[in-house]
């Protein structure tokens, strides 16, 4: 049996205003509320609302056989509350079906794991509470920001009450000859690992509307045929998991409605379920479904799902990014020590990984992607605004 | 006396210090009763007949084309800004080399215009030099071509006693006007290509600068430092050179009292971020000071072609949130940042004058200025250090941080000193330069 495991990332950062040095010390709001509201409303209308409606329909229609997982960040939920409460309601409606799993992550979609263990644990706990209050679920599956993972992360997650599995990228340099279709264990065999099948995930997320792609147009029949082919390999009765992980905004925002992405999704579950050896599973179910001795995989260096490199270089490759993030964690340490809850909340919105992503200067193939997602003219501008926020918050800290 | 003046900058058309200097100078010349017809690189073909002191702010304009002028006269403008936009002046922050909107050229300067009836071989050489170096398609060269062509028209229709041209962009205009009118030409050196480039620079610019100074009756240098440069690099006859230091007058609306942004000592770099201004020496100083005084904050205010490089360099030096960039600041914002700072640094590699330390001192900032600057000739209450001696600069900043009373005292003394420097005296000197050029001219006529 091969189970399609869908996980969608739902995230919106609090984008920064064009902060000037002269704004420092004036109690200026760091965040561009107007822009954030505009983006949230646009994405809700184009993506979240229609896709949620579609998934709700599909779940009802297939009576429990179609299921999906979401990871929804705290910063996204705060912005739903502020500017699109109906989106939040539609996620709650999905939660009520019982066919939707909500994953755990850092509330602020941060890189805290790499810099501050206590902050990381606090942000995971905050997110855990949020999932409980908003969707009535206590997450058992963890995914770190942008699927960043390494062995030491599994040690930390294992220590947190409740988590049994972690999702990450099926990186070739780790897998070698192995397939990402089986469930693995972390290096110490304490935690379950599910690996993104990036070829097929990216066929939907990135290549779906690309007319230069030889496989264009991607039809449901073709795609399910490819999935079917994966089962031809001898499995000796072992359950396989095809992990299709992607940004939720793929539906309607990165791939516009005109590309046919909604039609694709509408017909996909039925086409899969036509075949008795194919089905859908939630990440939390894979733990039970893995009917074999799971092999341990070691990730000595961090991996992620970003860019061609699938490492940390999207956020941490140039001097601006390093200086900005090191400054942030130094100041955050001081704020945590001082225990000012209001300042801590503001600071944490600055921990969101997107701020560092905007400073990326890798302007090769991935540069286009970075540019698409950035609200600023250049990485240098993003850096300047961020440092000004850092300078301001340090002044506030002295108050 | 009436002067036909060519300049590339005049407020609100400002890229650097040139515009502010022209403003102060013209204002004071008007106060001395000298009338000025000002020609700027405007989009429309206009000149500005300045007669009263207040005209420097209102900028009355005349269109050369009477039909267009009538239209302009009958137009009612909501604001000064709207009126200036109509004429085609906009306060572009970028250096004049990038003023993209002043475009649209009818034709390139025709070489034949430069080759008519030369009285001397020397004159022929000057014109050949300018013509040769003005050929080109670069934006700035095309703008100068256009400006120069218009100068011919102005030179013929206006009535004046003398021509005054500021910096190389306007020299071809000045040369042509002199040729047509046979009136004396004064060129004013605010900066040479050697200063701007921080090295040899562009040879074509040298050639035009040289031609301008050769053809001029008087050459005004903004400092001893610049005069030395003119003599040694351009080999100009010392008898023609006069030194008139720039001055600085604070506007009446300026508030100079301290209004801090940062708790820690704040050190300011204010100016274009270009090689000439030595921003990298500012960074090196910051690196050294912050090791000892992490509470200090270094602010870079301005824009320029080295901004990105400086930003990236500063990031690599891991100065955290203690080395910040403001980007371009307007007048009001410049005053805001001055009020928020304690120490001003001008580590220019080569600075013919450098007005901004005077402004900083007028706001009570303690100034550390490059020895390689003209302004160091006119102020005493400032630290004068070789631009490359970053260790000494860092020691000085540290000393001032550790002795805030001394820093404050020096700042106040500097403020007092700068308040004594007026454009009035500078204008008086310029008037003398005009008179001597005119009397020579009259002598040669008779």
């Amino acid at each position: 049996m091969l189970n399609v495991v869908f996980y969608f990332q739902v995230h919106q950062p609090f984008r920064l205003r064009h902060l000037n040095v002269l704004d420092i010390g004036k109690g200026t709001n760091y965040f561009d509320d107007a822009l954030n509201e505009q983006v949230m409303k646009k994405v809700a209308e184009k993506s979240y609302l229609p896709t949620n409606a579609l998934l709700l329909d599909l779940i009802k229609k297939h009576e429990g056989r179609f299921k999906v997982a979401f990871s929804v960040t705290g910063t996204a939920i705060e912005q739903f509350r502020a500017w699109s409460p109906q989106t939040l309601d539609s996620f709650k409606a999905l939660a009520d079906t019982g066919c939707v799993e909500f994953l755990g992550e850092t509330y602020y979609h941060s890189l805290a794991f790499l810099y501050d263990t206590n902050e990381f644990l606090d942000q995971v706990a905050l997110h855990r509470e949020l999932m409980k209050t908003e969707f009535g679920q206590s997450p058992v599956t963890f995914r770190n920001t942008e699927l960043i993972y390494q062995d030491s992360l599994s040690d930390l997650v294992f220590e947190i009450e409740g988590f049994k599995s972690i999702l990450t990228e099926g990186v070739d340099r780790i897998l070698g000859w192995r397939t990402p279709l089986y469930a693995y264990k972390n290096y110490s065999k304490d935690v379950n690992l599910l690996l993104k099948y990036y070829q097929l995930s990216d066929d939907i997320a990135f290549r779906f509307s690309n007319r230069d792609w030889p496989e264009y147009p991607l039809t449901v029949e073709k795609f399910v045929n490819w999935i079917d082919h994966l089962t031809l390999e001898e499995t000796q009765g072992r359950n396989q998991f095809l992990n299709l992980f992607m940004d939720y905004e793929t539906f309607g925002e990165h791939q516009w409605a005109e590309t046919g992405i909604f039609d694709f999704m509408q017909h996909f579950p039925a086409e899969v379920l036509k075949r008795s050896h194919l089905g859908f599973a939630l990440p939390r179910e894979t733990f039970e479904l893995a009917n074999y001795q799971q092999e341990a995989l070691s990730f000595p260096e961090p991996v992620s799902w970003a860019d061609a490199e699938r490492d940390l270089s999207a956020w941490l490759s140039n001097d601006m990014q390093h200086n900005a993030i090191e400054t942030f964690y130094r100041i955050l340490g001081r704020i945590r020590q001082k225990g000012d809850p209001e300042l801590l909340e503001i600071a944490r919105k600055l921990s969101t990984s997107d701020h560092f992503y905007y400073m990326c200067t890798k302007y090769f193939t991935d540069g286009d992607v970075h540019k698409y997602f950035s609200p600023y003219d250049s990485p240098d501008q993003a850096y300047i605004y961020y440092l000004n926020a850092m300078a301001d918050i340090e002044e506030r800290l002295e108050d | 006396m009436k002067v036909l003046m060519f300049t590339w900058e005049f407020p609100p058309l400002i890229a650097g210090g040139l515009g502010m200097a022209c403003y102060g100078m013209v204002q004071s010349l008007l106060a001395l009763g000298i009338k000025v017809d000002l020609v700027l690189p405007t989009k429309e073909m206009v000149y500005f007949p300045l007669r009263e002191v207040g005209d420097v702010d209102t900028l009355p304009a005349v269109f050369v084309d009477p039909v267009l002028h009538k239209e302009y006269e009958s137009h009612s403008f909501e604001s000064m800004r709207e009126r200036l936009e109509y004429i085609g002046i906009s306060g572009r922050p970028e250096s004049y080399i990038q003023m993209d909107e002043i475009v649209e050229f009818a034709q390139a300067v025709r070489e034949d215009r430069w080759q008519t009836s030369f009285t001397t071989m020397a004159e022929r050489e000057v014109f050949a030099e300018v013509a040769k170096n003005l050929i080109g398609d670069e934006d700035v060269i095309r703008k100068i071509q256009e400006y120069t062509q218009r100068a011919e028209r102005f030179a013929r229709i206006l009535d004046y006693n003398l021509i005054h041209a500021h910096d190389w962009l306007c020299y071809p205009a000045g040369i042509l006007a002199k040729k047509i009118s046979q009136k004396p030409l004064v060129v004013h050196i605010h900066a040479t290509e050697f200063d701007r480039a921080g090295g040899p620079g562009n040879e074509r610019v040298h050639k035009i600068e040289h031609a301008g100074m050769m053809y001029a009756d008087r050459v005004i240098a903004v400092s001893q430092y610049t005069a030395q440069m003119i003599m040694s690099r351009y080999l100009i006859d010392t008898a023609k050179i006069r030194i008139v230091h720039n001055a600085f007058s604070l506007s009446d609306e300026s508030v100079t009292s301290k209004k801090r942004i940062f708790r820690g000592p704040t050190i300011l770099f204010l100016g274009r971020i270009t090689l000439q201004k030595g921003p990298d020496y500012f960074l090196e100083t910051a690196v050294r000071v912050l090791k000892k005084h992490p509470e200090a904050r270094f602010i870079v205010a301005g824009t320029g072609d080295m901004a990105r490089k400086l930003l990236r360099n500063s990031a690599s030096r891991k100065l955290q949130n203690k080395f910040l960039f403001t980007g371009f600041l307007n007048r009001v914002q410049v005053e805001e940042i001055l009020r928020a700072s304690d120490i001003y640094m001008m580590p220019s590699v080569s600075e013919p004058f450098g007005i901004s330390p005077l402004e900083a001192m007028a706001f009570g900032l303690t100034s550390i200025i490059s020895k390689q600057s003209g302004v160091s000739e006119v102020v005493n209450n400032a630290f004068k250090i070789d631009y490359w001696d970053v260790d000494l600069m860092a020691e000085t900043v540290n000393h001032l941080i550790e002795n805030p009373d001394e820093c404050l005292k020096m700042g106040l003394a500097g403020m007092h000193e700068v308040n004594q420097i007026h454009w009035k005296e500078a204008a008086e000197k310029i008037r003398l330069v005009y008179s001597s050029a005119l009397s020579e001219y009259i002598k040669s006529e008779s």
Side-chain angles (χ1 to χ4, degrees):
Chain A
M1 181 85 178
L2 184 143
N3 302 280
V4 175
V5 181
F6 264 128
Y7 135 63
F8 303 122
Q9 181 63 39
V10 182
H11 169 59
Q12 290 296 332
F14 283 97
R15 295 163 197 85
L16 280 178
R17 285 186 43 211
H18 293 195
L19 285 169
N20 194 282
V21 173
L22 296 172
D23 295 324
I24 295 169
K26 291 183 181 161
T28 314
N29 173 17
Y30 300 158
F31 305 103
D32 192 336
D33 288 344
L35 173 69
N36 289 322
E37 176 177 3
Q38 184 201 335
V39 172
M40 175 50 77
K41 286 186 165 156
K42 185 187 89 179
V43 179
E45 185 201 338
K46 287 175 73 175
S47 173
Y48 299 150
L49 289 169
T51 321
N52 279 357
L54 174 63
L55 293 185
L56 190 63
D57 261 7
L58 290 168
I59 286 167
K60 284 182 178 156
K61 184 172 142 200
H62 294 288
E63 297 172 330
R65 295 177 68 207
F66 174 64
K67 34 191 120 179
V68 298
F70 287 105
S71 190
V72 190
T73 63
T75 55
I77 287 185
E78 285 184 25
Q79 296 189 67
F80 290 151
R81 284 184 194 142
W83 297 307
S84 185
Q86 64 275 41
T87 300
L88 187 56
D89 291 340
S90 66
F91 276 111
K92 285 179 179 167
L94 283 168
D96 291 342
T97 63
C99 292
V100 174
E101 178 182 353
F102 288 88
L103 311 181
E105 69 164 304
T106 54
Y107 186 102
Y108 292 94
H109 201 73
S110 72
L111 304 171
F113 158 66
L114 300 165
Y115 286 89
D116 186 331
T117 304
N118 290 327
E119 174 65 13
F120 171 77
L121 293 173
D122 286 354
Q123 290 197 10
V124 173
L126 275 175
H127 186 257
R128 209 175 166 74
E129 261 170 59
L130 183 71
M131 292 301 103
K132 185 80 194 158
T133 51
E134 295 296 339
F135 305 121
Q137 288 191 17
S138 292
V140 295
T141 309
F142 185 78
R143 56 127 270 153
N144 195 21
T145 304
E146 309 290 332
L147 294 187
I148 292 170
Y149 177 80
Q150 70 187 95
D151 289 343
S152 52
L153 177 80
S154 66
D155 293 337
L156 275 180
V157 173
F158 179 62
E159 290 297 321
I160 305 170
E161 186 69 37
F163 286 120
K164 293 180 173 163
S165 306
I166 300 176
L167 311 187
T168 187
E169 176 73 335
V171 182
D172 293 330
R173 60 180 182 272
I174 300 290
L175 279 170
W177 53 270
R178 300 173 192 86
T179 162
L181 289 172
Y182 291 112
Y184 290 88
K185 289 277 186 192
N186 74 322
Y187 80 105
S188 60
K189 299 209 168 198
D190 293 319
V191 184
N192 202 33
L193 283 187
L194 289 178
L195 306 179
K196 177 183 154 196
Y197 199 101
Y198 70 81
Q199 290 92 341
L200 291 178
S201 299
D202 295 351
D203 284 343
I204 300 175
F206 299 131
R207 288 181 283 271
F208 186 80
S209 61
N210 181 358
R211 288 169 186 272
D212 297 328
W213 183 37
E215 300 296 344
Y216 181 89
L218 184 63
T219 61
V220 169
E221 292 72 24
K222 189 192 284 181
F223 194 69
V224 175
N225 247 329
W226 291 345
I227 295 175
D228 221 354
H229 272 81
L230 297 174
T231 64
L232 295 177
E233 214 151 302
E234 181 50 61
T235 62
Q236 298 171 318
R238 292 179 293 180
N239 282 326
Q240 291 178 306
F241 307 102
L242 172 62
N243 301 312
L244 298 180
F245 301 167
M246 62 198 76
D247 282 341
Y248 198 37
E249 297 81 20
T250 297
F251 302 96
E253 216 282 318
H254 306 172
Q255 310 288 346
W256 295 355
E258 295 76 45
T259 65
I261 191 80
F262 289 114
D263 295 334
F264 179 89
M265 200 55 193
Q266 182 161 20
H267 297 109
F268 180 70
E271 190 66 26
V272 168
L273 294 169
K274 254 195 227 165
R275 296 157 171 81
S276 59
H277 57 286
L278 299 183
F280 291 93
L282 294 172
R284 66 171 180 236
E285 297 168 330
T286 62
F287 197 67
E288 303 293 327
L289 288 168
N291 53 353
Y292 42 87
Q293 189 73 31
Q294 291 165 247
E295 192 182 343
L297 283 180
S298 177
F299 291 67
E301 300 296 327
V303 302
S304 82
W305 75 359
D307 298 347
E309 295 90 341
R310 294 173 206 279
D311 58 12
L312 302 181
S313 57
W315 310 274
L316 295 168
S317 57
N318 67 37
D319 293 327
M320 295 189 286
Q321 293 169 313
H322 281 114
N323 188 50
I325 203 164
E326 285 162 23
T327 304
F328 173 77
Y329 281 101
R330 177 179 65 80
I331 293 170
L332 184 76
R334 292 187 60 196
I335 296 173
R336 286 176 61 94
Q337 210 168 15
K338 195 183 175 198
D340 178 335
E342 199 189 329
L343 211 52
L344 185 60
E345 196 187 324
I346 295 170
R348 281 177 165 163
K349 288 180 183 170
L350 297 166
S351 74
T352 302
S353 61
D354 303 60
H355 298 301
F356 309 104
Y357 189 85
Y358 301 145
M359 298 174 202
C360 186
T361 47
K362 293 191 299 170
Y363 275 116
F364 303 108
T365 39
D366 297 320
D368 301 337
V369 179
H370 287 256
K371 218 169 178 174
Y372 176 83
F373 287 107
S374 178
Y376 313 112
D377 292 340
S378 72
D380 306 66
Q381 291 300 321
Y383 174 70
I384 286 172
Y385 305 143
Y386 192 84
L387 270 205
N388 288 337
M390 289 293 113
D392 186 83
I393 207 162
E394 191 149 35
E395 293 295 320
R396 281 199 209 180
L397 192 53
E398 307 289 338
D399 283 340
Chain B
M1 194 190 316
K2 207 174 124 200
V3 178
L4 173 60
M5 187 179 281
F6 295 103
T7 178
W8 209 257
E9 289 185 31
F10 200 89
L13 190 68
I14 281 193
L18 175 62
M20 285 318 287
C22 287
Y23 176 87
M25 186 188 310
V26 170
Q27 193 174 38
S28 295
L29 286 172
L30 291 169
L32 292 176
I34 297 172
K35 302 180 181 97
V36 177
D37 281 345
L38 188 71
V39 180
L40 287 170
T42 46
K43 204 160 93 199
E44 300 297 330
M45 181 129 172
V46 297
Y47 70 96
F48 303 89
L50 310 179
R51 302 292 176 263
E52 313 278 334
V53 173
D55 289 352
V56 290
D57 295 310
T58 53
L59 287 180
V62 174
F63 279 69
V64 172
D65 183 328
V67 179
L68 289 178
H69 190 71
K70 213 167 169 192
E71 220 168 274
Y72 164 73
E73 289 278 82
S74 62
H75 209 286
S76 67
F77 297 100
E78 296 268 315
S79 63
M80 169 97 173
R81 196 184 146 167
E82 198 188 296
R83 187 168 64 84
L84 293 178
E85 268 170 16
Y86 183 91
I87 296 167
I89 296 188
S90 51
R92 271 298 276 210
E94 294 303 321
S95 115
Y96 38 69
I97 305 224
Q98 286 147 6
M99 286 190 312
D100 289 331
E101 61 250 58
I102 307 163
V103 284
E104 299 307 313
F105 300 97
Q107 64 199 96
V109 169
R110 296 201 320 273
E111 263 194 70
D112 57 3
R113 180 167 299 138
W114 298 91
Q115 289 170 344
T116 47
S117 60
F118 292 114
T119 44
T120 63
M121 275 307 285
E123 191 179 73
R124 181 185 296 277
E125 273 168 25
V126 162
F127 277 76
E129 209 170 26
V130 173
K132 197 169 95 205
N133 290 294
L134 261 190
I135 294 166
D137 262 341
E138 297 94 328
D139 260 7
V140 66
I141 292 291
R142 284 163 47 101
K143 274 169 212 159
I144 302 169
Q145 289 166 359
E146 152 104 350
Y147 187 77
T148 307
Q149 276 184 319
R150 286 184 182 183
E152 183 191 355
R153 191 77 194 279
F154 288 122
R156 287 187 203 288
I157 62 170
L158 298 176
D159 177 37
Y160 48 93
N161 308 97
L162 178 135
I163 305 146
H164 189 159
H166 296 274
D167 271 0
W168 74 277
L169 296 144
C170 298
Y171 292 171
I175 292 169
L176 193 60
K178 176 179 172 178
K179 175 73 187 152
I180 288 161
S181 65
Q182 295 297 311
K183 300 277 164 70
L185 169 66
V186 176
V187 297
H188 204 129
I189 318 292
H190 297 264
T192 67
E193 179 67 2
F194 290 102
D195 303 307
R196 281 184 299 266
N202 188 324
E203 205 193 323
R204 287 162 66 192
V205 177
H206 289 152
K207 292 271 163 75
I208 292 172
E209 285 177 334
H210 181 252
M213 291 187 238
M214 287 300 282
Y215 200 59
D217 299 270
R218 285 288 180 277
V219 177
I220 298 179
V222 292
S223 62
Q224 183 68 47
Y225 177 80
T226 302
Q228 195 57 46
M229 184 89 88
I230 295 167
M231 290 187 272
S232 64
R233 306 271 183 136
Y234 295 85
L235 305 174
I236 300 301
D237 178 4
T238 48
K240 288 209 282 194
I241 303 174
R242 300 288 183 274
I243 295 166
V244 179
H245 284 112
N246 280 336
F248 172 76
S249 322
L250 212 54
S251 104
D252 297 338
E253 293 99 68
S254 296
V255 182
T256 57
S257 57
K258 269 275 163 287
K259 190 167 175 239
R260 305 200 67 83
I261 292 176
F262 299 101
R263 281 180 181 74
T266 308
I267 301 106
L268 178 68
F269 174 100
L270 174 66
R272 281 177 296 122
I273 308 173
T274 59
L275 196 73
Q276 183 198 348
K277 303 289 177 186
D280 30 358
Y281 299 98
F282 184 68
L283 172 62
E284 288 305 323
T285 305
V287 170
R288 285 160 177 75
V289 171
L290 284 167
K291 274 185 197 139
K292 203 165 174 206
H293 290 289
E295 79 280 15
R297 293 293 181 271
F298 287 80
I299 313 295
V300 176
T303 54
D305 57 15
M306 251 179 81
R308 169 167 288 191
K309 193 176 152 226
L310 186 69
L311 180 83
R312 303 264 170 107
N313 278 348
S314 71
S316 78
R317 304 305 285 270
K318 297 279 167 72
L319 301 182
Q320 300 238 333
N321 51 351
K322 297 163 187 187
F323 193 91
L324 301 170
F325 291 79
T326 67
F328 172 77
L329 299 181
N330 62 31
R331 256 332 286 169
V332 176
Q333 292 170 320
V334 163
E335 299 199 350
E336 230 179 295
I337 202 75
L338 283 166
R339 293 176 69 191
S341 306
D342 304 295
I343 300 171
Y344 173 84
M345 277 183 63
M346 186 189 73
S348 294
V349 174
S350 182
E351 189 69 74
F353 189 79
I355 264 179
S356 65
L358 298 184
E359 185 175 21
M361 287 166 78
F363 278 78
L365 276 73
T366 300
S367 289
I368 300 175
I369 56 182
S370 159
K371 270 189 187 169
Q372 289 69 28
S373 71
V375 68
S376 66
E377 297 164 20
V378 299
V379 295
N380 294 312
N381 293 292
F383 292 91
K384 299 166 191 176
I385 301 177
D386 287 309
Y387 69 89
W388 42 263
D389 197 348
V390 289
D391 287 325
L392 184 57
M393 282 201 231
E395 260 174 55
T396 309
V397 173
N398 282 338
H399 177 79
L400 290 171
I401 291 173
E402 287 150 19
N403 300 281
D405 287 345
E406 196 179 317
C407 183
L408 213 62
K409 222 175 110 192
M410 184 82 159
L412 282 174
M415 189 191 227
H416 187 72
E417 186 182 5
V418 167
N419 286 338
Q420 310 304 314
I421 302 175
H422 295 297
W423 271 112
K424 212 171 102 191
E425 283 98 66
E428 187 58 49
K429 285 182 193 163
I430 292 170
R431 194 175 65 89
L432 290 175
V433 176
Y434 287 168
S435 317
S436 72
L438 276 170
S439 61
E440 238 169 63
Y441 164 73
I442 292 162
K443 243 184 274 167
S444 68
E445 285 283 278
S446 55

